[in-house]
Amino acid sequence: MKATGNKKKTRPTEIKNSPEAHKEKLEELAVDGQIPKAVAYPTTNEEACNLLREADSTGKKVSIRGGGTKQRIGNSIEGLDLVISTHKLNQILEYEPADLTLCVQAGANLAQVQSELAKHGQFLPIASPLSANATVGGAIASNSSGPTRLQYGAARDWLIGVRFALADGTLAKGGGRVVKNVAGFDMMKLMIGSMGTLAMLLELNLKLLPLPKARATALIPFSAEHEACEAALRIIDKGIFPTAETVLDSKGAEALGLDARTILLIEVRNTTQAVERQMREIQQLVWQLSGAKVERINDEDSQSKLWSPVTDFAYRAAVNAPNTFVIKIGVVPTQVAMLIRQAHQSAKMNNIQVECMAHAGHGIMYVVGNYPEKEEESALKAIKEIIAKAESNSGSAIIEQAPPALKAQFKDIWGNALSRTELRLMREIKKKLDPNRTLNPGRFVNSI
């Protein structure tokens, strides 16, 4: 693929997924222990619509699967007859480097899309855990984000148009292929973060950005989490604009192969001169606050090896250990230090282990808990305490991942942040778009 520099359209490019994906067995496609009776791999939008139409008319329950990296998120589904994979819907359909826009099929591998864009000095500012396996459609369906959300926002901020198939097989679209669209009822926004409960995403139109001229990371040790969080906020107050600010407690840092101590990671991206100025100001401010020595990392390879595990933090742990839960919390940044302390206290009182990672600049944090076998009750109590503390401080908390038996102890793993009016509206939307409850029934908020 070549950068055109004008509005001439490039030829479609197929992005090949890993050959292992072809060997998927039905057992490997299970969702919370429910094994599907069949799996289908449509190659066109029409095939996907026909599959959905047949399933909807015969009462089958369907789960949409991209790379499978987010399959553990959500309430237990009510049934599973068919998995429809986007594995073969994996092409870049249109790429206009001069316009900084991209049209891609939902099953395109996110890492490979980024690799193609990098050839033209551009990138898609969407961070998703396990990006080597994640798909662009999956990132949109889960409204994925990562450490760089501080500067770039979440996946929803980069979608400008979508084509999708409703449960009854109707092909529909929202938005368009240009940044400015005609005003109207914004169906596109409904699809973002809906976890495959409203429709099957087929094609996505996205905005792009030029790759930054320079990038640098500061690694700063602190004696306690509240000191690291305070430094992160002071840096923003000073007028420095980091791309990411992430605090790891000692267990979290150790889990990522760093020294077992509280660590603040700060990434800045900009022109070379701006990065130099920002890093200089960060070093001065940190020295004034704590006297800590800032370790600066400049080369791209070392920074990628450092930040990639941070993005994967919660998913790495859940995949590798069966008695593990992950709580995702969203609070105002000034509450992050207090929530980390609360998580540590709850873990100690209930005799379990937790690792905390907090994106201190934008207030999203993860608590990864590990508990001994047969200590499910202790884990259950700790989870409830941590969630209650977050919600009592006007935050939100969801159990992003947990073993099915532990997940079953909760009425709704999505927490209690939404009002009755909001929940009623969401149920009505589900009823309109998927009246037969064909798509991922029960998985999303309030078991819609």
Side-chain angles (χ1 to χ4, degrees):
M1 180 182 295
K2 297 180 180 179
T4 59
N6 53 42
K7 294 190 176 182
K8 181 180 179 180
K9 296 180 180 179
T10 55
R11 295 179 61 185
T13 301
E14 182 177 3
I15 298 174
K16 296 180 179 179
N17 289 326
S18 64
E20 285 77 11
H22 294 293
K23 302 177 183 178
E24 289 173 332
K25 299 176 182 177
L26 293 180
E27 290 83 357
E28 295 171 339
L29 301 174
V31 180
D32 284 342
Q34 296 194 56
I35 300 173
K37 298 171 184 173
V39 56
Y41 298 88
T43 59
T44 65
N45 292 348
E46 290 71 26
E47 288 181 14
C49 290
N50 290 337
L51 284 165
L52 284 172
R53 188 177 299 112
E54 193 277 337
D56 190 60
S57 63
T58 56
K60 293 177 181 175
K61 305 304 180 187
V62 176
S63 178
I64 311 300
R65 184 184 177 93
T69 59
K70 305 289 178 62
Q71 287 297 306
R72 297 180 63 164
I73 299 178
N75 297 314
S76 296
I77 55 177
E78 295 170 7
L80 182 58
D81 298 300
L82 174 66
V83 167
I84 300 180
S85 171
T86 60
H87 174 67
K88 294 185 177 179
L89 298 170
N90 59 7
Q91 294 187 9
I92 291 178
L93 299 176
E94 188 173 333
Y95 175 32
E96 298 287 355
D99 290 343
L100 289 166
T101 58
L102 170 77
C103 179
V104 65
Q105 288 187 298
N109 178 274
L110 181 58
Q112 293 184 30
V113 168
Q114 298 285 26
S115 178
E116 288 292 329
L117 298 176
K119 296 175 183 176
H120 303 278
Q122 298 178 355
F123 75 113
L124 177 61
I126 294 177
S128 184
L130 308 176
S131 62
N133 295 321
T135 63
V136 179
I140 296 296
S142 60
N143 193 28
S144 189
S145 68
T148 56
R149 181 174 182 146
L150 182 60
Q151 179 171 347
Y152 300 125
R156 62 166 288 158
D157 297 299
W158 300 96
L159 185 69
I160 54 177
V162 62
R163 189 179 297 273
F164 54 91
L166 294 172
D168 64 358
T170 300
L171 188 62
K173 66 177 183 178
R177 291 195 175 187
V178 295
V179 175
K180 291 183 179 179
N181 285 303
V182 177
F185 195 69
D186 197 351
M187 288 290 291
M188 179 181 72
K189 290 293 193 298
L190 282 179
M191 301 298 133
I192 302 170
S194 60
M195 303 298 296
T197 56
L198 298 180
M200 177 179 179
L201 301 182
L202 297 171
E203 298 174 11
L204 308 157
N205 303 324
L206 300 143
K207 297 181 290 184
L208 306 174
L209 281 180
L211 284 168
K213 298 292 184 184
R215 174 190 182 199
T217 294
L219 189 155
I220 312 165
F222 285 90
S223 58
E225 288 82 19
H226 71 274
E227 294 179 358
C229 291
E230 173 65 18
L233 295 176
R234 290 285 296 275
I235 286 168
I236 294 176
D237 289 343
K238 190 176 174 59
I240 302 170
F241 301 104
T243 305
E245 287 187 321
T246 300
V247 173
L248 292 159
D249 69 3
S250 59
K251 292 289 185 183
E254 187 176 24
L256 297 188
L258 302 172
D259 291 343
R261 54 185 178 177
T262 301
I263 288 176
L264 170 61
L265 297 172
I266 304 174
E267 182 191 89
V268 293
R269 300 181 185 185
N270 212 312
T271 63
T272 302
Q273 293 84 355
V275 166
E276 289 301 318
R277 176 184 60 77
Q278 289 176 303
M279 292 299 292
R280 188 167 56 249
E281 291 179 352
I282 289 170
Q283 290 172 320
Q284 291 172 350
L285 182 59
V286 170
W287 177 257
Q288 292 169 3
L289 289 174
S290 67
K293 183 180 179 182
V294 176
E295 179 183 347
R296 177 171 170 170
I297 304 167
N298 292 314
D299 72 277
E300 282 294 323
D301 187 52
S302 297
Q303 290 186 82
S304 296
K305 289 180 179 177
L306 178 63
W307 283 104
S308 181
V310 171
T311 305
D312 296 347
F313 182 82
Y315 292 79
R316 161 203 56 79
V319 167
N320 294 333
N323 297 318
T324 301
F325 63 83
V326 177
I327 306 174
K328 180 181 179 181
I329 298 171
V331 292
V332 294
T334 52
Q335 300 285 343
V336 167
M338 183 272 293
L339 263 298
I340 294 176
R341 184 174 67 251
Q342 177 63 37
H344 289 161
Q345 290 174 351
S346 295
K348 185 177 181 180
M349 291 175 61
N350 293 289
N351 198 30
I352 66 172
Q353 297 285 330
V354 295
E355 305 163 1
C356 295
M357 180 193 73
H359 301 307
H362 58 69
I364 289 181
M365 59 177 285
Y366 293 88
V367 179
V368 178
N370 300 286
Y371 56 94
E373 193 173 0
K374 299 182 181 178
E375 292 294 333
E376 199 172 87
E377 284 300 318
S378 298
L380 182 64
K381 188 176 179 183
I383 291 171
K384 289 181 176 179
E385 290 175 357
I386 295 168
I387 290 177
K389 195 66 176 179
E391 293 181 339
S392 68
N393 284 277
S394 303
S396 62
I398 68 169
I399 305 167
E400 185 143 301
Q401 301 195 52
L406 183 58
K407 190 185 291 187
Q409 302 292 321
F410 293 86
K411 181 180 179 182
D412 190 349
I413 64 92
W414 297 95
N416 306 297
L418 297 180
S419 68
R420 290 184 178 180
T421 301
E422 290 168 325
L423 293 173
R424 184 169 62 250
L425 178 60
M426 294 178 72
R427 285 195 294 270
E428 288 300 315
I429 291 172
K430 173 72 172 178
K431 190 175 179 180
K432 289 288 185 183
L433 298 184
D434 183 16
N436 295 328
R437 299 183 63 76
T438 298
L439 292 167
N440 271 334
R443 185 179 188 184
F444 202 29
V445 178
N446 203 226
S447 298
I448 64 174

